[in-house]
Amino acid sequence: ILDWQPRTAIQDVVSGWRDRCLLDDGSLFFDGEQVWTAGNLARLYRNMIGAPIGGKRSFTEKFREQLEADRGLVLLGAETMAVYYLSVWIETVTPATKRARVNDVLSWAGEQLADDSIVWRAFAEGIHHPGRHYLQRPDLQIGFILDFGRRLKEQPAGLRREILADPWRLRDFMDVADDGTTLAMRHILLHLLHPGSFERIAIGPHKRLIASTYADFVRDSQGDLDE
C-alpha cells in the first residue's frame, strides 16, 4: 500500500537537500543562509554524540541546550529534524506532528516553516514505518545525519559530488563509520538518495530475513546484502 502513495514532494526535498546542503553549505529552508557548513556540522555532532547530555530530561530539552542558542546550530537542528521525519509514514507520525516539532526548534531562532514550502507539503507524504527504536532515539538517528554530513564536508567538492552520484560508493562511504550497530537512518538515507538502487526498508534485520528467505532464487546468496 505504501508504494502507491505520492512521494514527489519528498524526492524534491531530497534533491534540494543534496544540492543546497550536502554539495553546498546552504539551507534547506531559507535562501541566503549558510547552515550546512563543516563548522556547524562538527559542533552539533560534538554536542550531541561526542559529549551527550545525560539525565532524564526529554530529547527536546537536551536538544535545545545542545543548539547553544546559536542561530546556525538552531537552523541546522531544525533541518536535520526535517530529514529525520521526512520519509516517516503519516500514520506513524502525523503531518501536524512533524510540522509542529520542526517549528518548535525553529522558534528558538525566531523562525517558522512556511506553510507553502516544499518541506511542509512533503510532511504529508510518507514512505515507510521506521521501527520503534528509530522513534525512541531521535538523537542517534540525527547524530548519524550529522556524522555523514561532517565527514562528507571533509572531502573536496568534486569528490563529494562523485560520492553522492554513485549509489555503491555512497553506501561504502556511509559504512566507514559503522560501529557495528547500523542505524535505520543509514538505510533510509541510501533509499532517499538512490531509490532505484536501495529498497524501501529501514530495518537491517528485515533485509537479512528477506534475503535469506529467497536465497535459493539468486546466484550468489552470500553477496552484498543491499545488492
Side-chain angles (χ1 to χ4, degrees), residues 10-214:
I10 287 176
Q11 289 307 139
D12 286 346
V13 171
V14 172
S15 295
W17 179 56
R18 180 194 61 221
D19 295 343
R20 298 172 62 176
C21 304
L22 298 178
L23 291 174
D24 203 351
D25 292 342
S27 167
L28 184 60
F29 297 161
F30 306 111
D31 292 337
E33 296 276 1
Q34 295 291 290
V35 173
W36 288 75
T37 66
N40 283 348
L41 287 159
R43 283 175 61 196
L44 188 51
Y45 178 81
R46 181 181 66 246
N47 291 352
M48 291 191 68
I49 305 301
I53 299 171
K56 296 183 178 180
R57 285 185 292 167
S58 69
F59 165 76
T60 301
E61 291 171 323
K62 294 177 181 179
F63 199 37
R64 185 165 190 171
E65 182 175 332
Q66 289 160 337
L67 298 178
E68 299 178 346
D70 179 279
R71 179 177 175 82
L73 292 192
V74 171
L75 296 186
L76 179 60
E79 294 184 8
T80 53
M81 182 172 285
V83 176
Y84 167 72
Y85 281 124
L86 183 62
S87 59
V88 177
W89 178 232
I90 58 176
E91 292 182 9
T92 304
V93 181
T94 67
T97 297
K98 296 177 185 181
R99 293 162 181 162
R101 289 179 179 170
V102 169
N103 271 333
D104 281 345
V105 178
L106 282 175
S107 71
W108 305 336
E111 300 285 358
Q112 64 178 5
L113 186 63
D115 58 11
D116 62 350
S117 69
I118 188 64
V119 177
W120 184 278
R121 296 198 300 275
F123 282 160
E125 299 178 353
I127 295 175
H128 57 77
H129 299 282
R132 183 181 302 175
H133 185 261
Y134 185 88
L135 298 173
Q136 290 177 336
R137 294 300 305 271
D139 56 322
L140 296 181
Q141 309 299 336
I142 290 174
F144 186 93
I145 299 171
L146 295 169
D147 182 51
F148 167 61
R150 76 184 180 99
R151 291 190 301 108
L152 194 64
K153 289 301 173 82
E154 292 173 352
Q155 312 303 318
L159 184 55
R160 290 204 303 271
R161 188 175 298 277
E162 292 175 8
I163 291 170
L164 289 169
D166 184 326
W168 307 112
R169 192 169 180 179
L170 177 64
R171 186 269 316 275
D172 293 343
F173 181 83
M174 282 194 184
D175 288 352
V176 166
D178 183 13
D179 62 358
T181 56
T182 301
L183 295 172
M185 185 55 72
R186 177 263 192 195
H187 301 289
I188 290 168
L189 290 186
L190 288 173
H191 174 71
L192 288 176
L193 289 164
H194 286 283
S197 298
F198 297 96
E199 295 298 324
R200 180 183 49 81
I201 303 170
I203 302 171
H206 290 180
K207 285 186 176 181
R208 289 192 288 274
L209 180 59
I210 293 168
S212 64
T213 299
Y214 295 100

